[in-house]
Amino acid sequence: METKINIEARECGAENDPPTIPKRRQELLKWNGWGYSDSKFIVNKDKHVEFTGERYQLSGHTMPQLRDWMMNTIGINLDHRTPAQPSFTAADTPTPIKNESFIMDMRRTGISLSDDCQDRLFRAHGHTLHEIFVLREGRFDRIPDLVIWPTCHNDVVKIVELACRHNVVIIPFGGGTSVSSALECPANETRMIVSLDTSQMNKILWVDDKNMTAHCEAGIIGQDLERWLAKKGFCTGHEPDSMEFSSLGGWVATRASGMKKNIYGNIEDLIVHIKFVTPLGVMEKNCQVPRISSGPDIHHFMMGSEGILGVVTEVTMKIRPLPECKKYGSIVFPDFESGVKCLREIAKQRCAPASIRLMDNEQFQFGHALKPESGTIFSSFVDGLKKFYITKIKGFDPHTLAVATLLFEGKKQEVAAMEKRVYEIASKFGGLAAGAENGERGYMLTFVIAYLRDLGFDYYIVAESFETSVPWDRCLELCKNVKDRLHRECKERGIQFPPYITCRVTQTYDAGACVYFYFGFNYRGISNPVQVYEDIENCAREEILANGGSISHHHGVGKIRKRYLRQTVGDVGLGTLRAIKEYLDPHNIFGANNCMVGDPEDDRKVHNVPKKAFPQSKL
Amino acid sequence: METKINIEARECGAENDPPTIPKRRQELLKWNGWGYSDSKFIVNKDKHVEFTGERYQLSGHTMPQLRDWMMNTIGINLDHRTPAQPSFTAADTPTPIKNESFIMDMRRTGISLSDDCQDRLFRAHGHTLHEIFVLREGRFDRIPDLVIWPTCHNDVVKIVELACRHNVVIIPFGGGTSVSSALECPANETRMIVSLDTSQMNKILWVDDKNMTAHCEAGIIGQDLERWLAKKGFCTGHEPDSMEFSSLGGWVATRASGMKKNIYGNIEDLIVHIKFVTPLGVMEKNCQVPRISSGPDIHHFMMGSEGILGVVTEVTMKIRPLPECKKYGSIVFPDFESGVKCLREIAKQRCAPASIRLMDNEQFQFGHALKPESGTIFSSFVDGLKKFYITKIKGFDPHTLAVATLLFEGKKQEVAAMEKRVYEIASKFGGLAAGAENGERGYMLTFVIAYLRDLGFDYYIVAESFETSVPWDRCLELCKNVKDRLHRECKERGIQFPPYITCRVTQTYDAGACVYFYFGFNYRGISNPVQVYEDIENCAREEILANGGSISHHHGVGKIRKRYLRQTVGDVGLGTLRAIKEYLDPHNIFGANNCMVGDPEDDRKVHNVPKKAFPQSKL
């Protein structure tokens, strides 16, 4: 009988290559912004924008065009700053609510826990605009009272049992990258709230090269999972933009999508088995089969559960051999519409590469502004001879052109054949192959974009991304109408400087696409910028829904989109979701109140940024 | 704004090309066996087996080797017959239970209905061994009391409302091809039972060539759907073996799988939108997007609902252009194990054709026995020179060799490249390309196999198919252990002639496969053959589960596999499924009692074949 453990678990794990994010997150990550503390955009003494640190391709470089782009596009004035408040102290943190009998029983288990205010604060939030603003300018009225770090499935079972026994709320915490306010503690929760941090349940338990699966603990982080599997020549290929920080459990809970889903699939395609701890016990199938007909698929209760039905503890995922060849590419289109039509045709012919994304002109200009000083790492897109070539010879207008970035994976001949086919189709839509560097740069930028927002926060900018899925025939119009709506709403609310609005077709499917928007504006003169921002984003979501788009392609519902859930799934759908919640968790132990739980009206009150009592210093 | 109706619905529909199966099914279909009345295997005056009618490639042909094969393999003796009883009359049918107020309200709606005993009987069953035996030798204690034919979604809404109001049971009826006893009426049901026959809601409502989708009524039958779409150059590509008779609604309700899922996907991959009528109202999403993150996916409450949560009324499915090229193929392997290893490697390289299936030696011999008299339609596999070539030159033993049948689809060059790759891999496992005709024959046989069982029923044979999904590393052992277990169980139960047991790997996935078994035996000397059969099949299922297989890959749970559901999805999973049932249908209006509903012990009593009061004549 063949054993599952064909590759020793420890060889795949932490021995000489520990998980990247430490247990004490504050040792490595920013407390009030995105990502690593050592990596940020700053304005240097020459008044140019620089990206600090050593982790990214862009690190250590200055971007000579970025400052001007920020000034011209979004009205940043380097003399007008809105710096963040100094770090929180214990005095700024709500006193923890203590359920003494729970704490006593927890201590007996020996499972690591902490009521340190920094540990609690770090797990009190995700990365919506609102949450980061609270960190920068306000104060959370409610944060977890205790952080607990299980190290295995059985620890989680114990924690959940105790929470049920003592009526303590559990909010599971994976990578903390939620952008739906899913992690925010309900303001009115009077019971003790525990942040169940899965980061120490982070192992690949076994790799099965006979079935091409890997069984992993749910706290494993994307970058660690891929790095450890790569040592054995494997990958899951699941690469969400958040993969440096997000967890397997979080992907399951939110129905995550990865950049290369065209090859590897989205999370529902990658999953073979899920272990899920609920107040009623462990939910799991008894088999590891690729496909089953056993009534409604129970994996689909766990996927999308958004932390309010239970905790994912272990997952069997499909793995693939590392691709032999990996090649970037890019295509310039005369305009966004041509690009969309081309992507649609590529989808129809089912010949899309691992990844294909189309950015609009605004995003192309933005990417151009992010070029570093040194010309050797990236060849310029429109400098010198190339600019002449593209704009004169081919007639592309740099103010309307759009760019698709591509990633091909596979065997050498496969990749060559795919490239040929894709570029042939592109040419039918006026597209011109524009080289690998532009493609690679496009993907690289996705990982640093989140850092740039933090810089914007220092200069009166609020910004956010939001996304949707939409049928092909509504795609172009949705992009246009949402942009128009955003412009109108900004104007009506007295936003002084034109907003920055851009979109990208970021995934293609047989029947439609995923569209990603970035939206930001300068809020000088606006007293409640976060509320204004949210009102406008809600208008954008209504415009999306009116144009055939969905509530979300992959970010999920959380709290910020609860108000759209009823119309999305209907009364009967919503009632059924609530019936599942009522059955699995009648006492609302998993009390983050996301998705179908609670009244959307309650959450509107959460979205005020309470100001601190003491004044902020502005330089 | 582009309209969805890019192709006029009537052009896709019934005007010059009506649905194949008439409203009065008895006009075309057998009342006590599979398929069309005009198509059956008979023993002709020359004591050879013939297939009657004109519908199939095999029709009108004699199979000169089949009789001997039946005699040698499964002990059929043409002198020992077990013919079916004559047709049922009203006297053999239970008196309908009438809920007068319901009937009165129903008549007011103008929706077509019937309490004719033939109409009722036709919808009282599916095609499990047990159900057909009852038709042939016994009597149903409980059948639907009324048949109702809605013609559109709104009709269904009315019917469900009235059923709820008057506490009448609804059992939806699509194509009637259930093989899980899902259609059987619970024997103890004292309320009136309505068979809600969807066959008259059978239209393609619109085809959207911009999004490559088609919106269809759930009663549409597979062969009609594909034929109508083909007129416009499209297909869904969903081709379950039952497609001549099974319905779209049934595919959704059972989580159906199609032969060509490698290209087109299984039902969960094909669905864009489902409309589902429950006692609480209509469940449906408000968008037609390819992918969504809105909490647990409500489509997965509808898929696998097995007729006990509501009725599927309309479905948006993905469509594809008809393939340019369609080519069959076959590979001979020295043995089954080599074939499994080859299929596993093809799956790993993700280069499987539209369909690839591996049959064991027994099934190959069976296929050989089904050769028709005329040699011009099919070239023989092992006759003449070829037999010499294969058995002498290549060393294949005709008693151990296994055969894979293949179907390639795509553009000409794509198909050529795929063939090359597949045959190259096959050669590494000792496989030899054996031509298109053997492949085509293999697929053709799948459609007539169900007819052959009816012939067996006339000669003391009971037989059934059952299937499972299994991880790759357990696949071979599962096949062996299940066969061994079947042999042992037959011997212990005094079955006189060795049983016929064969298996086929019928689908491949990244992480495993679908395996299909045929199992039959001669029951001379056995007084309760159906009970014995079922006991043995349950042993086989236990053996399957013990070897890492699942409860079912695509047939579903119905009633016959209820007893395995708890161990499949666990207590918490089962409880959640029941909570959904309790919420959507607290009064069990959709009272077929399949899957998670009711106690498996109740259903053991259903599986006795009640004998008719009057004696049967045996020739």
Side-chain angles (χ1 to χ4, degrees):
Chain A
M1 174 98 99
E2 290 136 329
T3 131
K4 275 215 184 350
I5 307 177
N6 299 299
I7 297 178
E8 297 253 345
R10 65 167 182 270
E11 290 178 45
C12 262
E15 269 195 9
N16 301 314
D17 182 8
T20 310
I21 313 299
K23 184 175 177 182
R24 296 215 87 212
R25 306 176 74 75
Q26 51 270 47
E27 288 169 10
L28 195 68
L29 305 178
K30 296 194 188 75
W31 75 279
N32 66 350
W34 181 261
Y36 301 100
S37 299
D38 58 26
S39 303
K40 49 185 172 286
F41 285 95
I42 58 162
V43 178
N44 63 20
K45 49 180 173 47
D46 302 321
K47 296 222 176 238
H48 271 297
V49 179
E50 223 181 282
F51 190 55
T52 68
E54 295 175 342
R55 294 177 187 273
Y56 299 90
Q57 268 185 307
L58 216 54
S59 301
H61 291 278
T62 308
M63 282 121 281
Q65 298 167 86
L66 187 55
R67 182 200 61 203
D68 288 355
W69 179 86
M70 283 161 57
M71 284 164 54
N72 298 331
T73 314
I74 206 166
I76 279 181
N77 184 329
L78 290 186
D79 297 329
H80 296 153
R81 296 193 61 228
T82 48
Q85 63 194 332
S87 188
F88 277 4
T89 67
D92 307 315
T93 326
T95 318
I97 291 169
K98 297 188 187 223
N99 183 317
E100 295 295 350
S101 44
F102 173 81
I103 293 170
M104 201 158 61
D105 282 352
M106 267 310 310
R107 291 203 189 284
R108 275 198 213 106
T109 66
I111 297 170
S112 179
L113 46 81
S114 161
D115 61 2
D116 172 76
C117 60
Q118 263 202 350
D119 292 334
R120 293 162 48 214
L121 181 69
F122 244 92
R123 293 157 182 79
H125 65 87
H127 286 267
T128 62
L129 172 68
H130 157 79
E131 292 163 300
I132 302 301
F133 238 71
V134 170
L135 290 169
R136 290 176 60 93
E137 303 207 356
R139 189 163 60 182
F140 282 105
D141 284 341
R142 194 72 176 86
I143 67 173
D145 304 298
L146 188 71
V147 179
I148 304 182
W149 289 276
T151 59
C152 61
H153 165 84
N154 287 343
D155 282 357
V156 174
V157 171
K158 286 180 195 152
I159 296 166
V160 173
E161 273 171 11
L162 290 179
C164 291
R165 191 183 309 168
H166 298 285
N167 199 21
V168 164
V169 169
I170 293 175
I171 296 182
F173 181 93
T177 57
S178 162
V179 284
S180 64
S181 281
L183 289 170
E184 274 199 79
C185 297
N188 303 327
E189 183 54 69
T190 54
R191 296 172 292 172
M192 181 177 189
I193 296 176
V194 158
S195 175
L196 193 156
D197 182 326
T198 60
S199 65
Q200 305 308 295
M201 311 180 350
N202 53 25
K203 291 183 284 299
I204 299 174
L205 293 174
W206 44 253
V207 172
D208 179 348
D209 62 350
K210 297 219 176 304
N211 293 309
M212 294 296 281
T213 54
H215 191 74
C216 307
E217 293 180 317
I220 201 166
I221 302 299
Q223 57 166 309
D224 298 329
L225 173 60
E226 296 306 281
R227 190 175 69 254
W228 292 336
L229 285 174
K231 289 187 191 175
K232 297 293 158 191
F234 297 125
C235 65
T236 64
H238 183 66
E239 297 191 5
D241 292 348
S242 61
M243 70 176 291
E244 297 169 278
F245 311 111
S246 58
S247 70
L248 173 51
W251 304 335
V252 172
T254 57
R255 293 176 52 80
S257 175
M259 183 183 98
K260 303 191 293 190
K261 68 96 187 161
N262 289 339
I263 292 184
Y264 302 97
N266 285 322
I267 198 68
E268 65 273 24
D269 308 305
L270 283 160
I271 293 299
V272 175
H273 187 272
I274 307 171
K275 228 185 250 194
F276 191 70
V277 180
T278 77
L280 294 192
V282 180
M283 192 186 315
E284 62 173 323
K285 296 181 187 173
N286 77 337
C287 51
Q288 297 255 347
V289 300
R291 204 258 178 185
I292 196 170
S293 176
S294 57
D297 185 354
I298 66 168
H299 280 168
H300 280 272
F301 304 157
M302 311 178 213
M303 286 188 280
S305 53
E306 302 205 6
I308 52 90
L309 298 178
V311 200
V312 180
T313 54
E314 291 176 15
V315 178
T316 308
M317 283 181 92
K318 299 196 302 190
I319 59 178
R320 296 290 302 157
L322 286 169
E324 176 186 292
C325 173
K326 188 169 155 167
K327 197 167 172 205
Y328 291 97
S330 62
I331 306 167
V332 196
F333 293 96
D335 48 48
F336 189 69
E337 180 169 346
S338 313
V340 172
K341 288 179 170 166
C342 176
L343 262 64
R344 197 276 169 273
E345 181 60 26
I346 287 171
K348 187 170 180 180
Q349 295 197 26
R350 288 194 170 171
C351 61
S355 170
I356 178 166
R357 297 174 168 175
L358 175 74
M359 64 179 91
D360 63 9
N361 185 265
E362 288 86 350
Q363 212 163 124
F364 156 70
Q365 303 275 7
F366 179 31
H368 188 58
L370 276 160
K371 273 173 54 237
E373 187 163 55
S374 150
T376 56
I377 295 181
F378 303 108
S379 48
S380 175
F381 186 72
V382 282
D383 64 14
L385 209 58
K386 278 193 180 155
K387 182 171 187 175
F388 175 79
Y389 175 67
I390 284 168
T391 54
K392 300 291 183 193
I393 306 294
K394 286 284 169 179
F396 289 99
D397 179 345
H399 299 292
T400 65
L401 63 82
V403 176
T405 57
L406 311 147
L407 174 61
F408 300 87
E409 281 189 3
K411 293 189 176 5
K412 274 216 187 79
Q413 323 95 285
E414 280 173 349
V415 165
M418 274 191 279
E419 281 184 296
K420 185 168 180 291
R421 188 157 176 201
V422 165
Y423 293 135
E424 263 169 23
I425 296 172
S427 66
K428 295 192 169 72
F429 294 90
L432 180 72
E437 298 84 357
N438 291 305
E440 185 163 16
R441 176 157 49 133
Y443 288 106
M444 179 276 295
L445 288 181
T446 313
F447 286 95
V448 300
I449 280 271
Y451 290 96
L452 195 60
R453 183 173 76 164
D454 289 330
L455 179 66
F457 284 151
D458 280 340
Y459 293 95
Y460 274 100
I461 302 301
V462 286
E464 189 78 287
S465 66
F466 52 91
E467 42 73 54
T468 189
S469 44
V470 60
W472 278 115
D473 67 334
R474 310 291 297 273
C475 182
L476 201 58
E477 223 170 280
L478 181 144
C479 292
K480 178 185 183 304
N481 289 347
V482 169
K483 286 182 173 182
D484 288 350
R485 181 72 182 267
L486 286 166
H487 278 292
R488 276 203 317 275
E489 297 292 339
C490 285
K491 204 161 182 177
E492 279 176 31
R493 285 167 174 69
I495 286 155
Q496 295 177 15
F497 206 93
Y500 179 64
I501 305 169
T502 171
C503 73
R504 181 173 73 220
V505 176
T506 206
Q507 291 289 5
T508 62
Y509 294 88
D510 287 327
C514 171
V515 179
Y516 217 92
F517 292 90
Y518 295 134
F519 166 52
F521 60 84
N522 186 309
Y523 67 85
R524 274 203 316 273
I526 307 278
S527 58
N528 54 345
V530 174
Q531 186 64 58
V532 168
Y533 176 88
E534 286 172 358
D535 289 346
I536 299 175
E537 190 189 314
N538 283 330
C539 292
R541 183 63 56 185
E542 283 157 18
E543 193 68 32
I544 285 171
L545 296 173
N547 280 270
S550 69
I551 193 174
S552 168
H553 170 267
H554 64 278
H555 282 171
V557 178
K559 297 179 180 64
I560 66 175
R561 279 178 285 279
K562 276 164 88 165
R563 70 198 66 183
Y564 304 112
L565 187 57
R566 182 180 291 277
Q567 71 190 99
T568 296
V569 298
D571 288 342
V572 180
L574 185 59
T576 310
L577 292 171
R578 287 176 171 167
I580 292 172
K581 167 68 176 183
E582 182 62 26
Y583 173 73
L584 285 172
D585 188 17
H587 303 292
N588 199 25
I589 296 301
F590 287 90
N593 289 3
N594 298 325
C595 202
M596 63 275 201
V597 177
D599 183 351
E601 285 307 313
D602 291 340
D603 301 313
R604 290 178 200 261
K605 300 169 203 134
V606 175
H607 286 229
N608 296 319
V609 176
K611 286 287 180 202
K612 283 174 71 107
F614 34 91
Q616 290 160 304
S617 55
K618 287 202 179 3
L619 292 168
Chain B
M1 176 97 97
E2 292 136 330
T3 131
K4 271 211 182 352
I5 306 177
N6 297 298
I7 296 178
E8 297 252 348
R10 64 166 183 269
E11 291 177 44
C12 263
E15 267 194 13
N16 301 315
D17 182 9
T20 310
I21 315 299
K23 185 174 177 181
R24 297 214 87 213
R25 306 174 74 74
Q26 50 270 48
E27 289 169 8
L28 196 67
L29 306 178
K30 295 192 188 75
W31 74 277
N32 66 351
W34 181 262
Y36 302 101
S37 299
D38 58 26
S39 302
K40 48 186 173 286
F41 286 95
I42 58 162
V43 178
N44 64 20
K45 49 179 173 49
D46 301 323
K47 297 219 176 241
H48 272 296
V49 178
E50 223 181 281
F51 190 56
T52 67
E54 295 174 342
R55 294 178 187 273
Y56 298 88
Q57 268 186 306
L58 215 54
S59 301
H61 290 277
T62 306
M63 282 121 282
Q65 297 166 84
L66 188 55
R67 181 199 62 201
D68 288 354
W69 179 86
M70 283 162 57
M71 283 165 52
N72 299 330
T73 314
I74 205 168
I76 280 182
N77 183 330
L78 291 185
D79 296 328
H80 295 153
R81 296 193 62 227
T82 49
Q85 64 193 334
S87 186
F88 277 5
T89 67
D92 308 314
T93 327
T95 318
I97 292 170
K98 297 187 186 226
N99 183 316
E100 294 295 351
S101 44
F102 173 80
I103 293 170
M104 201 157 63
D105 280 351
M106 268 309 310
R107 291 203 189 285
R108 277 200 210 103
T109 66
I111 297 170
S112 178
L113 46 82
S114 162
D115 61 2
D116 171 75
C117 61
Q118 265 202 348
D119 292 334
R120 291 161 53 215
L121 181 68
F122 242 91
R123 293 159 183 77
H125 65 85
H127 285 267
T128 60
L129 172 68
H130 157 81
E131 291 164 301
I132 302 302
F133 238 72
V134 170
L135 290 169
R136 290 176 58 91
E137 301 207 0
R139 191 163 57 183
F140 282 103
D141 285 342
R142 194 74 175 86
I143 69 173
D145 304 300
L146 188 70
V147 179
I148 304 182
W149 288 277
T151 60
C152 62
H153 166 83
N154 286 342
D155 281 355
V156 173
V157 171
K158 286 181 195 153
I159 296 165
V160 173
E161 273 172 11
L162 289 179
C164 291
R165 191 182 308 168
H166 298 285
N167 199 21
V168 163
V169 169
I170 293 175
I171 296 183
F173 182 93
T177 57
S178 164
V179 285
S180 65
S181 281
L183 288 170
E184 274 199 77
C185 297
N188 303 327
E189 182 55 68
T190 55
R191 295 172 294 172
M192 181 177 189
I193 296 176
V194 157
S195 175
L196 192 156
D197 183 324
T198 60
S199 65
Q200 305 308 296
M201 309 181 351
N202 54 25
K203 291 183 284 299
I204 298 174
L205 294 175
W206 44 254
V207 172
D208 179 352
D209 63 351
K210 296 218 177 303
N211 293 309
M212 294 296 281
T213 54
H215 191 74
C216 308
E217 293 180 317
I220 202 166
I221 302 299
Q223 59 167 308
D224 297 330
L225 174 59
E226 295 306 280
R227 189 175 68 254
W228 292 338
L229 284 175
K231 288 187 190 176
K232 297 294 159 195
F234 297 124
C235 64
T236 63
H238 182 65
E239 297 190 6
D241 292 349
S242 61
M243 70 177 291
E244 298 169 278
F245 310 111
S246 58
S247 70
L248 173 51
W251 304 336
V252 172
T254 56
R255 293 176 53 82
S257 174
M259 183 182 100
K260 304 191 292 189
K261 69 95 186 161
N262 288 339
I263 291 184
Y264 302 97
N266 286 321
I267 197 68
E268 64 273 24
D269 307 304
L270 283 160
I271 293 300
V272 174
H273 186 272
I274 307 170
K275 230 186 249 195
F276 190 71
V277 181
T278 78
L280 292 192
V282 180
M283 192 186 316
E284 64 173 322
K285 296 181 188 173
N286 77 338
C287 51
Q288 298 254 346
V289 299
R291 204 254 179 191
I292 197 170
S293 176
S294 57
D297 185 355
I298 65 168
H299 280 168
H300 280 273
F301 304 158
M302 310 178 214
M303 287 187 279
S305 53
E306 301 204 7
I308 52 87
L309 296 178
V311 200
V312 182
T313 54
E314 292 177 14
V315 179
T316 308
M317 284 181 92
K318 298 195 305 189
I319 60 178
R320 295 292 300 157
L322 286 168
E324 176 187 293
C325 173
K326 188 168 155 170
K327 197 163 171 208
Y328 291 97
S330 62
I331 305 167
V332 197
F333 294 96
D335 49 48
F336 189 68
E337 179 169 347
S338 313
V340 172
K341 288 179 171 164
C342 177
L343 262 64
R344 197 274 168 275
E345 181 61 26
I346 287 171
K348 188 171 180 179
Q349 295 196 27
R350 288 193 171 172
C351 61
S355 171
I356 178 166
R357 296 174 168 176
L358 175 74
M359 63 179 92
D360 63 8
N361 185 266
E362 288 86 350
Q363 211 161 124
F364 156 68
Q365 302 277 5
F366 180 29
H368 188 59
L370 275 160
K371 272 173 55 241
E373 185 161 58
S374 152
T376 56
I377 296 181
F378 304 107
S379 48
S380 178
F381 185 73
V382 282
D383 64 12
L385 209 59
K386 279 193 179 158
K387 181 171 189 173
F388 176 79
Y389 175 66
I390 284 169
T391 53
K392 298 292 181 193
I393 306 294
K394 285 285 169 178
F396 288 100
D397 180 345
H399 299 290
T400 64
L401 64 80
V403 177
T405 57
L406 311 146
L407 174 61
F408 299 87
E409 281 189 4
K411 292 187 177 5
K412 273 215 187 80
Q413 321 94 286
E414 281 173 347
V415 165
M418 274 191 280
E419 281 183 295
K420 185 168 182 289
R421 188 156 177 202
V422 165
Y423 293 135
E424 261 168 23
I425 296 172
S427 66
K428 294 190 168 74
F429 295 90
L432 179 71
E437 298 83 358
N438 291 306
E440 183 162 18
R441 178 159 45 134
Y443 288 105
M444 178 276 295
L445 287 181
T446 314
F447 286 96
V448 300
I449 279 273
Y451 290 96
L452 195 60
R453 183 173 77 162
D454 289 331
L455 178 66
F457 284 152
D458 281 340
Y459 292 96
Y460 275 100
I461 302 301
V462 285
E464 188 78 287
S465 66
F466 53 90
E467 42 73 54
T468 189
S469 44
V470 62
W472 279 115
D473 67 334
R474 308 292 296 273
C475 182
L476 201 60
E477 223 171 281
L478 181 144
C479 292
K480 180 187 181 301
N481 289 347
V482 169
K483 286 182 173 180
D484 288 350
R485 181 71 183 268
L486 286 166
H487 278 292
R488 276 202 318 275
E489 297 292 340
C490 285
K491 203 162 184 176
E492 279 175 30
R493 284 169 174 68
I495 285 154
Q496 295 176 15
F497 205 91
Y500 179 64
I501 305 168
T502 169
C503 73
R504 181 172 74 220
V505 176
T506 205
Q507 291 289 5
T508 61
Y509 293 88
D510 288 328
C514 172
V515 179
Y516 217 92
F517 292 90
Y518 294 134
F519 166 53
F521 60 84
N522 186 311
Y523 66 87
R524 272 204 313 277
I526 307 281
S527 59
N528 55 344
V530 174
Q531 185 64 57
V532 168
Y533 177 87
E534 287 173 358
D535 289 346
I536 298 176
E537 190 190 314
N538 282 331
C539 292
R541 182 63 56 185
E542 283 157 18
E543 192 68 33
I544 284 171
L545 296 173
N547 280 269
S550 71
I551 192 174
S552 167
H553 169 268
H554 65 278
H555 282 170
V557 178
K559 297 176 179 66
I560 65 176
R561 279 177 285 281
K562 277 165 85 163
R563 70 199 64 183
Y564 304 111
L565 187 58
R566 183 180 290 277
Q567 70 190 94
T568 297
V569 298
D571 288 343
V572 180
L574 185 59
T576 310
L577 291 172
R578 287 177 171 167
I580 292 171
K581 167 68 175 182
E582 181 62 28
Y583 173 74
L584 285 173
D585 188 16
H587 302 291
N588 200 25
I589 296 301
F590 286 90
N593 290 2
N594 298 325
C595 201
M596 63 277 202
V597 177
D599 183 349
E601 286 306 315
D602 292 340
D603 300 316
R604 291 178 199 261
K605 301 170 204 131
V606 175
H607 285 227
N608 296 322
V609 176
K611 285 286 178 204
K612 285 176 69 114
F614 33 92
Q616 290 159 302
S617 56
K618 288 203 178 1
L619 291 169

